[in-house]
Amino acid sequence: MKDSNGRNYLITGSTGIAAETARQAAQFGANIFIVSNDEESCAALVSELKETTESGYAVADLTIESETQAAMEKFAGEFGRLDALFNVVGISGRKFGDGPLHECTLAGWNATFDANARTVFLMCRAALKVMLEQAPDRSDVRGAILNMGSVLNFSPEPKYFATHAYAATKAAIVGLSKTAAAYYAPHKIRINVIAPSLVKTPMSARAQTDQTILDFMRAKHPFGEEMLDAADVARLALFLMGDDARRITGETFKIDAGWSVSNV
């Protein structure tokens, strides 16, 4: 990942996969800008990153158009060129009323789509406007966008993870990314999706304390026999944002420790 040196990465989210990706990218010399609605975790992460690289942050509710635009303007003012956007921020939606379709509340549906799909739309739109105005880099690429999907979009798990609004948001992200990748390919902008299974992050805190789910994961994740580490996902994310993936666009990459091919 030496190709990250000197690149400017904007990452949404300040914990879990977002934080680990930022740490790894910083170790390889990338400059990092974090956008999240939690100033405390933003400030703590950026303080950590500043020990190894240039970094900054903006506090924003990414479901709000004006705040998303203000965050992008702050990034542009501090960093200039945008080499890659990694959209990580999102929610499970369960506490808002997500669940099996016949039980899913309208409030749960709307909250999940706002946090997962609306944020991706607004951030991608803001990023594309910046990328379209900048020259291609040494790899003949204007910029890269990586969006967060989920293995549940491809391999549903009805017993323990019947959150249908969540799965629908991730399917929407895949569709948006694919069509956008086709449109922006002639403009030298790459767009891909990463689709992990269950990862040890703050969002999966409930599952991490549920022994039934932990026992289930031993069979569902034959490679590792537990939840994924955020570091594993971050490594794939860095590859897809970097020069080594310069010929890859319009794809969705699952990282699921065997979830989608297990017989459980």
Side-chain angles (χ1 to χ4, degrees), residues 1-22:
M1 297 305 302
K2 293 180 181 179
D3 61 293
S4 296
N5 189 45
R7 295 297 183 89
N8 298 330
Y9 290 172
L10 192 161
I11 301 174
T12 71
S14 50
T15 61
I17 295 169
E20 185 57 34
T21 303

Side-chain angles (χ1 to χ4, degrees), residues 7 34 100 121 133 147 182 199 209 220:
R7 295 297 183 89
I34 301 295
F121 157 66
E133 294 298 319
N147 294 324
V199 185
T209 60
K220 194 66 175 173

